[in-house]
Amino acid sequence: MSIVTVQLGQCGNQVGQELFEVISNDANDTQRKVYSECSSERFFNETANRELVARSVLIDMEPKVISQSIAKTAKSGKWRYGDRSHFSQKQGSGNNWANGYCVHGPRHEEVVMDIVRREVEHCDCLAGIVAMMSVAGGTGSGVGTYVTQCLRDAYPNSFILNHLTWPYGTGEVIVQNYNSVLTLSHLYQLSDAILVHENDTVHKICAQLMNIKHISFRDVNKVIAHQLGSVLQPALTGDSHGIYNRNPIGELMSSLVCHPEYKLLSVCNIPQVSSSSMAYSMFTWPGLLKHLRQMLIANSKMEEGIDWQVRAPSLQPEGIKRTGSHRRPGFNTSLANLLILRGKDVNNAEISGFQHPSLYTPWLPADEAFSMWKTPVPFNKYEKSAILVSNSQTLLRPLDNMVGKAWNMFASRAYIHQYTKFGISEEDFLDSFTSLEQVISSYSQL
Amino acid sequence: MTQSVVVQVGQCGNQVGCRFWDLALREHSHVNKKGIYDEALSSFFRNVDSRRGVGGSCDITGGRIQSLKARAVLVDMEEGVVNEILQGPLRELFDSTQLITDVSGSGNNWAVGHWTYGSAYREQIVDQLRRAAEHCDCLQCFFLIHSMGGGTGSGLGTCVLKLLEEEFPEVCRIVTSVYPSAEDDVVTSPYNSVLAMRELTEHADCVLPVENQSLVDIVNKIKHMSHSGKPGSVIKKDSAIISGQGGVSGAEKPFDAMNNIVANLLLNITSSARFEGSLNMDLNEIAMNLVPFPRLHYLVPSLTPLYTLADVNIPTRRLDQMFTDAFSKDHQLIRADPKHSLYLACALMVRGNVQVSDLRRNIERLKPMLPFVSWNQEGWKTGLCSVPPVGHSHSLLALANNTCVKSTFMELRDRFTKLYRKKAHMHHYLHVDGMEQGCFTEAISSLSSLIEEYSQLDATKDRLMPDAARLNIAT
């Protein structure tokens, strides 16, 4: 089964390219033939002359990023993008969601969906669509939302996973909070699941774990690609009897998104070290899993600086309903978790720490809340890696901050005229705020 | 890549425009060593085969540069300045059709410029604008350059602004307006300026106000520096923002030094649209991010560094110093101190060898000292262009939407009122067809309400504004 990715805007295209790099390197690296073939089939289309063409559609409203991507991959010779799989215009969306959603999206709908259709037809069997974009700008966010809507209409029975990059909190674009609020509220209705990476978090990983001195966007994108790749590469699910899972996105959805009110997913991947330290590092499953579990409950995204004081609440005896007062401060309650283990000796890993009911919200039985995939094939040169895809309160604080700042700005109606002139009204804004407050409220009450 | 068209109106507008084209050529020739007509050049220049006749549709894309034509429309109601251009070294840049002139000038009378010439030349102007737009693959922005104090630039210039809005509503309009100093020798400049202000407030997307006095101060500062004779104070010849060295034109004319500053402003604001960089900032993003309310679109520009020292043994000014300077009073192009007023939004356009981490570090450092409005505490828009300006390794243009413009407008209002109270010179205006008393009252009222809007924002400055109450969700 194959996955088609749709790369939208500058960020979507840059991260997308790094993702295919990671996947192609990982698949080539390994001795395991079945794994490589499965990965290849999933992400690439092999042409008559044995070339690997990424199952990807590249969309942007200005040409520079896409041309650079295509040129770079053509030069590398390992894989390339399809010749007619991209679409760009001359003038960007000006950081304006309304411009992207109301003007560019509809204007280019036919051409874009044509390209998507062609790419989908190249797949023997479609496992799902992954749309990649940022939320701060105008194209990724606005056009991306519109395209997601079109995808939902055209493929009502397929799984759609949106991968979002959230901007630095201190701002890259002044209206980023507006663009983010509009994107998230719309995607919540359209998407099956929303997997989020935050620039701030990834930046810290680059700085503290990987020791990069002058961090560039390329470094950030590589980390995101590594994490996303580790989720999407082939793995064996619990009942698959040695055959790589044919329906990864579907499985991801059914494990993690059991309720339409809770769609926000985050990823933790350990270990993450600089390539120079990799040769000197030794990891054990108990060590990795202990750190990962604490990262989950203390809401930390890195192996360093974890707050070990945060502990899971003790369980009440059966029959006594747990109320909000049991929640310890700083404790991150999960709705569902998916643990993916890749590498040596996976079968010996002890994962019961993740199955304890105290980690989860009371209204879902713990054995339904936890799932695990594994593969003995190491990922991207890491002898052992543990990945946690989590539907939990992790994104609650960043989401709340984003909505709070946007709301403050909205209260003075600043910049609203820039949106109304393209067709987004104050009512639309209010609707978006209302939906996100609902999401925040739902997650707060986990 | 997108294109922009420059519309220069009046004596000042054309003189500044002239300096702009000269310095633009200098900048591109610095970067474009092979003489290929590339995307960057195409943003302001067309490449034509001049053998094939005048003003024709013989644009050549790509390939070697044959003959460059500026994407410009030059308008002046007297011939002196435009004729000088046509006889000077830049004459090849302009087709005769791009020039619209008359002989008698506007007599420093806004009404004559706006109403009399406005209606007489309307069709011709629209024609030329359309033609310039047609030569563009993707027209993104019109740059209007004019002065506020005179008759043509101020009156006809604002009429052109209205035309641009009518004919090309989707194209961004960025106006560079030169405001008169208090000691301006044109008696009626307050009238002209206030009448023009109303048009700017209504019809422009962004205005970059520039005050003559600030330009004079900067010129003096640089001259003082280079003549001070202190060791190590020799300035690299082509690096000062007042210098036209290395350009096509020969000897410096009066006002050239001041006009070069404005020309450099325009070059820097368009640098990210023309050249590549790790964080591009397009022109439409400037209006989007810096204009929170439609009428409050006056962006105070400041340029650093003003010059580079010639002696390479002196350690180059630290990068951080450049950022600090951008917020100092001396570097602003109007007489105002933004640090002591309220910021609504700020854009930093960096050129040259500067990384994201440098940018973020300096923003963190400067943020505590700069008062930002409560709903835009992180109101920074940043752009990184890898190509530095001629003579520098890096430079910074800051555009601040700041309430300090209020003081400039209040002074203008005072000067206007002094004349208006006595009805001095008004008959010259009221005689003109199309002009009425109402124009004056509407103009001053528009200016007053603009000042009032800034005042209201200012009032929030030192108060701790509570966060707006969030929506309550029924659970």
Side-chain angles (χ1 to χ4, degrees), chain B residues 221-260:
Chain B
K221 188 166 161 190
I222 297 177
K223 291 229 163 97
H224 181 76
M225 178 67 191
S226 60
H227 293 148
S228 69
K230 280 197 298 222
S233 67
V234 176
I235 295 179
K236 241 171 89 168
K237 266 299 183 289
D238 55 358
S239 73
I241 61 170
I242 61 171
S243 151
Q245 198 107 20
V248 183
S249 308
E252 252 189 35
K253 300 199 290 296
F255 286 113
D256 264 0
M258 288 162 64
N259 292 338
N260 281 333

mmCIF file of all heavy atoms in Angstrom, chain B residues 221-260:
data_model
loop_
_atom_site.group_PDB
_atom_site.id
_atom_site.type_symbol
_atom_site.label_atom_id
_atom_site.label_comp_id
_atom_site.label_asym_id
_atom_site.label_seq_id
_atom_site.Cartn_x
_atom_site.Cartn_y
_atom_site.Cartn_z
ATOM 1 N N LYS B 221 26.245 64.532 9.259
ATOM 2 C CA LYS B 221 26.927 63.613 10.157
ATOM 3 C C LYS B 221 28.020 62.861 9.418
ATOM 4 O O LYS B 221 29.145 62.710 9.908
ATOM 5 C CB LYS B 221 25.893 62.632 10.713
ATOM 6 C CG LYS B 221 26.431 61.753 11.782
ATOM 7 C CD LYS B 221 25.298 61.057 12.520
ATOM 8 C CE LYS B 221 25.923 59.863 13.224
ATOM 9 N NZ LYS B 221 25.084 58.947 13.799
ATOM 10 N N ILE B 222 27.706 62.403 8.211
ATOM 11 C CA ILE B 222 28.691 61.655 7.447
ATOM 12 C C ILE B 222 29.837 62.560 7.016
ATOM 13 O O ILE B 222 31.008 62.185 7.123
ATOM 14 C CB ILE B 222 28.050 60.992 6.223
ATOM 15 C CG1 ILE B 222 26.995 59.974 6.678
ATOM 16 C CG2 ILE B 222 29.092 60.308 5.366
ATOM 17 C CD1 ILE B 222 26.268 59.320 5.538
ATOM 18 N N LYS B 223 29.484 63.769 6.571
ATOM 19 C CA LYS B 223 30.536 64.676 6.108
ATOM 20 C C LYS B 223 31.458 65.013 7.261
ATOM 21 O O LYS B 223 32.665 65.060 7.124
ATOM 22 C CB LYS B 223 29.910 65.959 5.537
ATOM 23 C CG LYS B 223 29.153 65.734 4.237
ATOM 24 C CD LYS B 223 29.566 66.745 3.167
ATOM 25 C CE LYS B 223 29.147 66.270 1.796
ATOM 26 N NZ LYS B 223 27.877 66.856 1.360
ATOM 27 N N HIS B 224 30.852 65.214 8.408
ATOM 28 C CA HIS B 224 31.634 65.530 9.598
ATOM 29 C C HIS B 224 32.592 64.393 9.910
ATOM 30 O O HIS B 224 33.758 64.591 10.235
ATOM 31 C CB HIS B 224 30.681 65.760 10.774
ATOM 32 C CG HIS B 224 31.372 66.115 12.036
ATOM 33 N ND1 HIS B 224 31.897 67.369 12.266
ATOM 34 C CD2 HIS B 224 31.674 65.381 13.122
ATOM 35 C CE1 HIS B 224 32.464 67.389 13.464
ATOM 36 N NE2 HIS B 224 32.342 66.194 14.002
ATOM 37 N N MET B 225 32.071 63.197 9.789
ATOM 38 C CA MET B 225 32.880 62.018 10.079
ATOM 39 C C MET B 225 34.048 61.912 9.120
ATOM 40 O O MET B 225 35.170 61.646 9.504
ATOM 41 C CB MET B 225 31.977 60.780 9.968
ATOM 42 C CG MET B 225 32.679 59.472 10.190
ATOM 43 S SD MET B 225 33.238 59.330 11.878
ATOM 44 C CE MET B 225 34.261 57.906 11.757
ATOM 45 N N SER B 226 33.760 62.148 7.842
ATOM 46 C CA SER B 226 34.844 61.925 6.886
ATOM 47 C C SER B 226 35.842 63.073 6.884
ATOM 48 O O SER B 226 36.957 62.907 6.452
ATOM 49 C CB SER B 226 34.281 61.695 5.487
ATOM 50 O OG SER B 226 33.547 62.812 5.089
ATOM 51 N N HIS B 227 35.422 64.244 7.370
ATOM 52 C CA HIS B 227 36.359 65.354 7.381
ATOM 53 C C HIS B 227 37.032 65.544 8.724
ATOM 54 O O HIS B 227 37.809 66.448 8.904
ATOM 55 C CB HIS B 227 35.644 66.662 7.000
ATOM 56 C CG HIS B 227 35.193 66.646 5.586
ATOM 57 N ND1 HIS B 227 34.059 67.297 5.172
ATOM 58 C CD2 HIS B 227 35.673 66.013 4.498
ATOM 59 C CE1 HIS B 227 33.895 67.089 3.878
ATOM 60 N NE2 HIS B 227 34.852 66.298 3.455
ATOM 61 N N SER B 228 36.687 64.693 9.647
ATOM 62 C CA SER B 228 37.171 64.967 10.999
ATOM 63 C C SER B 228 38.650 64.741 11.115
ATOM 64 O O SER B 228 39.288 65.183 12.044
ATOM 65 C CB SER B 228 36.447 64.081 12.012
ATOM 66 O OG SER B 228 36.867 62.738 11.809
ATOM 67 N N GLY B 229 39.218 64.025 10.148
ATOM 68 C CA GLY B 229 40.653 63.855 10.181
ATOM 69 C C GLY B 229 41.141 62.912 11.263
ATOM 70 O O GLY B 229 42.331 62.735 11.450
ATOM 71 N N LYS B 230 40.194 62.298 11.972
ATOM 72 C CA LYS B 230 40.667 61.359 13.007
ATOM 73 C C LYS B 230 41.247 60.151 12.316
ATOM 74 O O LYS B 230 40.737 59.725 11.281
ATOM 75 C CB LYS B 230 39.484 60.925 13.881
ATOM 76 C CG LYS B 230 39.124 61.940 14.938
ATOM 77 C CD LYS B 230 38.260 61.303 16.022
ATOM 78 C CE LYS B 230 36.972 60.811 15.410
ATOM 79 N NZ LYS B 230 35.807 61.069 16.213
ATOM 80 N N PRO B 231 42.289 59.570 12.900
ATOM 81 C CA PRO B 231 42.852 58.375 12.259
ATOM 82 C C PRO B 231 41.802 57.265 12.249
ATOM 83 O O PRO B 231 41.054 57.097 13.181
ATOM 84 C CB PRO B 231 44.023 57.983 13.169
ATOM 85 C CG PRO B 231 43.815 58.720 14.432
ATOM 86 C CD PRO B 231 43.019 59.939 14.114
ATOM 87 N N GLY B 232 41.754 56.579 11.135
ATOM 88 C CA GLY B 232 40.804 55.481 11.036
ATOM 89 C C GLY B 232 39.407 55.934 10.698
ATOM 90 O O GLY B 232 38.464 55.163 10.705
ATOM 91 N N SER B 233 39.257 57.231 10.390
ATOM 92 C CA SER B 233 37.900 57.672 10.104
ATOM 93 C C SER B 233 37.685 57.898 8.622
ATOM 94 O O SER B 233 36.765 58.582 8.217
ATOM 95 C CB SER B 233 37.606 58.955 10.875
ATOM 96 O OG SER B 233 38.420 59.991 10.356
ATOM 97 N N VAL B 234 38.567 57.356 7.831
ATOM 98 C CA VAL B 234 38.360 57.521 6.392
ATOM 99 C C VAL B 234 37.288 56.554 5.925
ATOM 100 O O VAL B 234 37.352 55.364 6.195
ATOM 101 C CB VAL B 234 39.681 57.249 5.627
ATOM 102 C CG1 VAL B 234 39.447 57.328 4.137
ATOM 103 C CG2 VAL B 234 40.747 58.224 6.078
ATOM 104 N N ILE B 235 36.329 57.099 5.220
ATOM 105 C CA ILE B 235 35.186 56.275 4.828
ATOM 106 C C ILE B 235 35.416 55.683 3.446
ATOM 107 O O ILE B 235 35.902 56.367 2.550
ATOM 108 C CB ILE B 235 33.921 57.135 4.803
ATOM 109 C CG1 ILE B 235 33.623 57.603 6.226
ATOM 110 C CG2 ILE B 235 32.735 56.364 4.275
ATOM 111 C CD1 ILE B 235 32.423 58.477 6.301
ATOM 112 N N LYS B 236 35.025 54.436 3.300
ATOM 113 C CA LYS B 236 35.129 53.792 1.986
ATOM 114 C C LYS B 236 34.274 54.569 1.008
ATOM 115 O O LYS B 236 33.111 54.806 1.246
ATOM 116 C CB LYS B 236 34.598 52.354 2.087
ATOM 117 C CG LYS B 236 35.639 51.311 1.755
ATOM 118 C CD LYS B 236 35.129 49.925 2.094
ATOM 119 C CE LYS B 236 34.383 49.348 0.896
ATOM 120 N NZ LYS B 236 34.107 47.939 1.053
ATOM 121 N N LYS B 237 34.850 54.879 -0.124
ATOM 122 C CA LYS B 237 34.225 55.843 -1.013
ATOM 123 C C LYS B 237 32.789 55.516 -1.428
ATOM 124 O O LYS B 237 31.917 56.353 -1.399
ATOM 125 C CB LYS B 237 35.079 56.018 -2.286
ATOM 126 C CG LYS B 237 36.052 57.157 -2.202
ATOM 127 C CD LYS B 237 35.307 58.473 -2.012
ATOM 128 C CE LYS B 237 36.194 59.674 -1.996
ATOM 129 N NZ LYS B 237 37.038 59.996 -1.000
ATOM 130 N N ASP B 238 32.556 54.288 -1.837
ATOM 131 C CA ASP B 238 31.214 54.043 -2.371
ATOM 132 C C ASP B 238 30.243 53.523 -1.327
ATOM 133 O O ASP B 238 29.154 53.101 -1.644
ATOM 134 C CB ASP B 238 31.286 53.060 -3.542
ATOM 135 C CG ASP B 238 31.988 51.772 -3.129
ATOM 136 O OD1 ASP B 238 32.426 51.676 -1.969
ATOM 137 O OD2 ASP B 238 32.128 50.876 -3.977
ATOM 138 N N SER B 239 30.668 53.512 -0.063
ATOM 139 C CA SER B 239 29.819 52.847 0.922
ATOM 140 C C SER B 239 28.840 53.770 1.617
ATOM 141 O O SER B 239 27.861 53.335 2.164
ATOM 142 C CB SER B 239 30.694 52.185 1.991
ATOM 143 O OG SER B 239 31.237 53.195 2.814
ATOM 144 N N ALA B 240 29.133 55.050 1.618
ATOM 145 C CA ALA B 240 28.232 55.937 2.357
ATOM 146 C C ALA B 240 26.880 55.971 1.662
ATOM 147 O O ALA B 240 26.809 55.985 0.436
ATOM 148 C CB ALA B 240 28.821 57.342 2.423
ATOM 149 N N ILE B 241 25.817 56.002 2.444
ATOM 150 C CA ILE B 241 24.519 55.963 1.782
ATOM 151 C C ILE B 241 24.203 57.269 1.080
ATOM 152 O O ILE B 241 23.193 57.400 0.413
ATOM 153 C CB ILE B 241 23.363 55.598 2.743
ATOM 154 C CG1 ILE B 241 23.218 56.624 3.859
ATOM 155 C CG2 ILE B 241 23.558 54.233 3.322
ATOM 156 C CD1 ILE B 241 21.943 56.387 4.639
ATOM 157 N N ILE B 242 25.094 58.241 1.244
ATOM 158 C CA ILE B 242 24.860 59.475 0.508
ATOM 159 C C ILE B 242 25.665 59.494 -0.776
ATOM 160 O O ILE B 242 25.571 60.439 -1.555
ATOM 161 C CB ILE B 242 25.249 60.718 1.343
ATOM 162 C CG1 ILE B 242 26.746 60.671 1.698
ATOM 163 C CG2 ILE B 242 24.405 60.793 2.588
ATOM 164 C CD1 ILE B 242 27.226 61.968 2.332
ATOM 165 N N SER B 243 26.458 58.466 -0.998
ATOM 166 C CA SER B 243 27.380 58.535 -2.130
ATOM 167 C C SER B 243 26.796 57.943 -3.396
ATOM 168 O O SER B 243 26.141 56.912 -3.371
ATOM 169 C CB SER B 243 28.659 57.788 -1.758
ATOM 170 O OG SER B 243 29.259 57.263 -2.906
ATOM 171 N N GLY B 244 27.083 58.591 -4.493
ATOM 172 C CA GLY B 244 26.646 58.048 -5.774
ATOM 173 C C GLY B 244 27.828 57.469 -6.521
ATOM 174 O O GLY B 244 27.751 57.121 -7.687
ATOM 175 N N GLN B 245 28.953 57.347 -5.807
ATOM 176 C CA GLN B 245 30.188 56.889 -6.444
ATOM 177 C C GLN B 245 30.027 55.524 -7.074
ATOM 178 O O GLN B 245 29.456 54.619 -6.500
ATOM 179 C CB GLN B 245 31.265 56.753 -5.368
ATOM 180 C CG GLN B 245 32.653 56.711 -5.924
ATOM 181 C CD GLN B 245 33.365 58.007 -5.638
ATOM 182 O OE1 GLN B 245 32.949 58.722 -4.747
ATOM 183 N NE2 GLN B 245 34.404 58.316 -6.370
ATOM 184 N N GLY B 246 30.559 55.399 -8.252
ATOM 185 C CA GLY B 246 30.464 54.102 -8.907
ATOM 186 C C GLY B 246 29.230 53.989 -9.767
ATOM 187 O O GLY B 246 29.027 53.008 -10.475
ATOM 188 N N GLY B 247 28.394 54.997 -9.689
ATOM 189 C CA GLY B 247 27.210 54.976 -10.539
ATOM 190 C C GLY B 247 27.544 55.545 -11.910
ATOM 191 O O GLY B 247 28.691 55.874 -12.206
ATOM 192 N N VAL B 248 26.523 55.651 -12.698
ATOM 193 C CA VAL B 248 26.748 56.092 -14.071
ATOM 194 C C VAL B 248 26.974 57.598 -14.154
ATOM 195 O O VAL B 248 27.771 58.087 -14.929
ATOM 196 C CB VAL B 248 25.527 55.705 -14.938
ATOM 197 C CG1 VAL B 248 25.762 56.090 -16.367
ATOM 198 C CG2 VAL B 248 25.283 54.225 -14.825
ATOM 199 N N SER B 249 26.207 58.323 -13.338
ATOM 200 C CA SER B 249 26.270 59.783 -13.426
ATOM 201 C C SER B 249 27.608 60.300 -12.942
ATOM 202 O O SER B 249 28.272 59.696 -12.121
ATOM 203 C CB SER B 249 25.181 60.404 -12.571
ATOM 204 O OG SER B 249 23.948 59.845 -12.901
ATOM 205 N N GLY B 250 27.974 61.416 -13.447
ATOM 206 C CA GLY B 250 29.275 61.990 -13.113
ATOM 207 C C GLY B 250 29.259 62.790 -11.837
ATOM 208 O O GLY B 250 29.002 62.272 -10.759
ATOM 209 N N ALA B 251 29.524 64.049 -11.968
ATOM 210 C CA ALA B 251 29.699 64.900 -10.792
ATOM 211 C C ALA B 251 28.413 64.971 -9.969
ATOM 212 O O ALA B 251 27.313 64.881 -10.482
ATOM 213 C CB ALA B 251 30.100 66.289 -11.254
ATOM 214 N N GLU B 252 28.587 65.174 -8.703
ATOM 215 C CA GLU B 252 27.434 65.245 -7.816
ATOM 216 C C GLU B 252 26.742 66.572 -7.929
ATOM 217 O O GLU B 252 27.388 67.620 -7.973
ATOM 218 C CB GLU B 252 27.898 65.055 -6.374
ATOM 219 C CG GLU B 252 27.496 63.712 -5.841
ATOM 220 C CD GLU B 252 27.747 63.594 -4.355
ATOM 221 O OE1 GLU B 252 27.581 64.600 -3.645
ATOM 222 O OE2 GLU B 252 28.124 62.502 -3.953
ATOM 223 N N LYS B 253 25.419 66.524 -7.947
ATOM 224 C CA LYS B 253 24.663 67.767 -7.988
ATOM 225 C C LYS B 253 24.144 68.051 -6.587
ATOM 226 O O LYS B 253 24.126 67.173 -5.742
ATOM 227 C CB LYS B 253 23.500 67.612 -8.966
ATOM 228 C CG LYS B 253 23.950 67.295 -10.392
ATOM 229 C CD LYS B 253 22.863 67.604 -11.395
ATOM 230 C CE LYS B 253 21.696 66.657 -11.322
ATOM 231 N NZ LYS B 253 22.048 65.277 -11.669
ATOM 232 N N PRO B 254 23.719 69.301 -6.373
ATOM 233 C CA PRO B 254 23.157 69.583 -5.042
ATOM 234 C C PRO B 254 21.964 68.661 -4.790
ATOM 235 O O PRO B 254 21.312 68.234 -5.698
ATOM 236 C CB PRO B 254 22.677 71.033 -5.150
ATOM 237 C CG PRO B 254 22.887 71.444 -6.548
ATOM 238 C CD PRO B 254 23.735 70.460 -7.235
ATOM 239 N N PHE B 255 21.712 68.350 -3.570
ATOM 240 C CA PHE B 255 20.630 67.446 -3.171
ATOM 241 C C PHE B 255 20.923 65.995 -3.513
ATOM 242 O O PHE B 255 20.200 65.116 -3.090
ATOM 243 C CB PHE B 255 19.274 67.790 -3.831
ATOM 244 C CG PHE B 255 18.622 69.007 -3.245
ATOM 245 C CD1 PHE B 255 18.469 70.150 -3.999
ATOM 246 C CD2 PHE B 255 18.202 69.007 -1.927
ATOM 247 C CE1 PHE B 255 17.886 71.283 -3.449
ATOM 248 C CE2 PHE B 255 17.618 70.131 -1.375
ATOM 249 C CZ PHE B 255 17.468 71.274 -2.136
ATOM 250 N N ASP B 256 21.959 65.724 -4.292
ATOM 251 C CA ASP B 256 22.240 64.336 -4.645
ATOM 252 C C ASP B 256 22.494 63.500 -3.407
ATOM 253 O O ASP B 256 22.003 62.378 -3.293
ATOM 254 C CB ASP B 256 23.471 64.242 -5.565
ATOM 255 C CG ASP B 256 23.074 64.182 -7.027
ATOM 256 O OD1 ASP B 256 21.853 64.221 -7.306
ATOM 257 O OD2 ASP B 256 23.954 64.099 -7.882
ATOM 258 N N ALA B 257 23.285 64.079 -2.486
ATOM 259 C CA ALA B 257 23.612 63.309 -1.284
ATOM 260 C C ALA B 257 22.324 62.905 -0.560
ATOM 261 O O ALA B 257 22.136 61.751 -0.193
ATOM 262 C CB ALA B 257 24.509 64.120 -0.356
ATOM 263 N N MET B 258 21.413 63.854 -0.389
ATOM 264 C CA MET B 258 20.172 63.547 0.323
ATOM 265 C C MET B 258 19.323 62.565 -0.479
ATOM 266 O O MET B 258 18.738 61.640 0.078
ATOM 267 C CB MET B 258 19.372 64.829 0.559
ATOM 268 C CG MET B 258 20.003 65.711 1.624
ATOM 269 S SD MET B 258 19.412 67.393 1.552
ATOM 270 C CE MET B 258 17.699 67.190 1.934
ATOM 271 N N ASN B 259 19.270 62.766 -1.774
ATOM 272 C CA ASN B 259 18.440 61.889 -2.589
ATOM 273 C C ASN B 259 18.985 60.471 -2.634
ATOM 274 O O ASN B 259 18.232 59.509 -2.755
ATOM 275 C CB ASN B 259 18.296 62.446 -4.002
ATOM 276 C CG ASN B 259 17.484 63.726 -4.018
ATOM 277 O OD1 ASN B 259 16.712 63.988 -3.107
ATOM 278 N ND2 ASN B 259 17.673 64.548 -5.043
ATOM 279 N N ASN B 260 20.299 60.354 -2.525
ATOM 280 C CA ASN B 260 20.875 59.013 -2.516
ATOM 281 C C ASN B 260 20.374 58.206 -1.330
ATOM 282 O O ASN B 260 20.208 56.990 -1.420
ATOM 283 C CB ASN B 260 22.407 59.076 -2.480
ATOM 284 C CG ASN B 260 22.992 59.374 -3.844
ATOM 285 O OD1 ASN B 260 22.399 59.070 -4.859
ATOM 286 N ND2 ASN B 260 24.167 59.989 -3.854
#
